[in-house]
Amino acid sequence: MAEPKELALRYPQSCPFCSIAAAYRYAAAASPSPAAKQPQRQDETRAGQDMTAAAAAASNSLLASIPSSPSAIDPAKVSPAAYVVLSAPRVLAFLDIMPMTRGHLLVTTRRHRRKVEELVGGGGSIKGEDGDENGEEGEGECKGEVGDDEDEDEEGEEGRDIGFWLPLLAKTVATVIGVPDYNIVQNNGIRAAQVVPHVHFHIIPRPASLPALQNKSWTMFGRGAREDLDDDEAAALAARMRDALRVEVEALARRKGRRGRGRL
């Protein structure tokens, strides 16, 4: 693991992830088409069309979480540079600036949560719509410490959104890097090797050049050399990950659409 002093030189802010969240806001998708808003008709053909339109609207909402415009992906908006792959209402993903291996990705919350126990969990569905629920109102700002009754996500969607995006991002990393094995690690507290005090998950590819860890479950994921991220390579790598993530989201939307039509 990198030494705390070494990280402090690169992350001088009190919370660098809050700075990234503030700089890379969620861009809400366009409003659903009138067809998507229409109530389902009795006619099965019309109902199928309405469901397809609704699935398309949901897909567009999720795709809006994957930044594409030059301003939305500009790495120079923060210092050190950030190479953003996901900018969702409650979740962000960007390349680690001191990767253990190529493709080392961080997945974090927009709101400032120090440990995973502070995540607001619960059920529901990702809405990604305009208004208070999409996280546009101040969620990019560092809120500092979270008390028992303040800064709550009443819908309980923060933890669920992490659970939604993490598998998609893991598959994205594996696809782009071409390495099927990876670690997903989340540290809580300084004794547990957490350096940045903002809850985050590491997705770390394990290429064939690294030793296999079977029968060595005690081995810590973070032992090994970490090098500075190369800016040119990082920009190209983040772009490939965004493209691959779009493919995963579109495929997910198609699967959900087919299952929905099968229930008619």
Side-chain angles (χ1 to χ4, degrees):
M1 291 291 292
E3 294 295 327
K5 290 182 179 179
E6 188 178 3
L7 266 294
L9 293 175
R10 294 167 171 77
Y11 283 139
Q13 306 96 329
S14 58
C15 182
F17 295 171
C18 284
S19 297
I20 293 173
Y24 298 91
R25 299 281 186 165
Y26 168 67
S31 299
S33 65
K37 294 181 178 180
Q38 291 176 358
Q40 290 189 4
R41 310 285 180 85
Q42 295 298 320
D43 179 75
E44 290 187 359
T45 300
R46 173 58 63 183
Q49 291 174 347
D50 289 346
M51 186 167 292
T52 300
S59 175
N60 289 336
S61 179
L62 292 176
L63 289 172
S65 296
I66 307 171
S68 58
S69 69
S71 62
I73 61 174
D74 180 9
K77 292 172 73 172
V78 294
S79 180
Y83 297 91
V84 176
V85 174
L86 176 73
S87 182
R90 298 172 184 84
V91 182
L92 288 156
F94 43 88
L95 295 176
D96 193 307
I97 63 167
M98 294 185 66
M100 278 195 63
T101 63
R102 182 171 177 268
H104 184 166
L105 191 71
L106 300 181
V107 184
T108 187
T109 57
R110 281 194 178 275
R111 293 193 180 191
H112 186 80
R113 311 293 190 190
R114 294 162 299 180
K115 297 181 179 180
V116 74
E117 68 204 48
E118 295 178 355
L119 293 180
V120 180
S125 60
I126 291 184
K127 298 179 181 178
E129 300 171 351
D130 291 336
D132 183 62
E133 290 184 352
N134 70 13
E136 290 186 285
E137 297 299 325
E139 285 193 359
E141 298 175 2
C142 180
K143 301 293 185 180
E145 295 188 358
V146 181
D148 293 335
D149 299 319
E150 59 186 350
D151 193 32
E152 289 298 323
D153 182 345
E154 293 181 359
E155 292 289 333
E157 294 188 3
E158 182 178 53
R160 188 198 51 78
D161 284 10
I162 285 281
F164 173 85
W165 286 110
L166 198 58
L168 291 173
L169 290 164
K171 187 173 183 180
T172 295
V173 170
T175 299
V176 171
I177 303 302
V179 175
D181 297 342
Y182 52 86
N183 293 104
I184 295 183
V185 180
Q186 196 275 321
N187 303 320
N188 296 278
I190 191 169
R191 293 185 182 87
Q194 184 183 21
V195 176
V196 178
H198 186 135
V199 65
H200 57 285
F201 296 74
H202 299 257
I203 303 176
I204 308 171
R206 299 288 301 192
S209 59
L210 295 180
L213 297 182
Q214 62 259 33
N215 302 322
K216 294 183 179 179
S217 60
W218 49 266
T219 304
M220 289 182 62
F221 90 100
R223 299 303 181 188
R226 301 182 70 168
E227 299 179 354
D228 289 332
L229 188 64
D230 179 85
D231 289 335
D232 292 335
E233 181 184 18
L237 189 58
R240 289 178 59 196
M241 287 186 178
R242 290 191 296 269
D243 288 342
L245 184 58
R246 288 187 192 97
V247 171
E248 293 298 328
V249 167
E250 289 168 349
L252 177 64
R254 286 194 297 271
R255 291 195 298 272
K256 287 183 176 296
R258 286 195 295 269
R259 287 199 295 268
R261 287 195 296 274
R263 288 194 293 267
L264 292 177

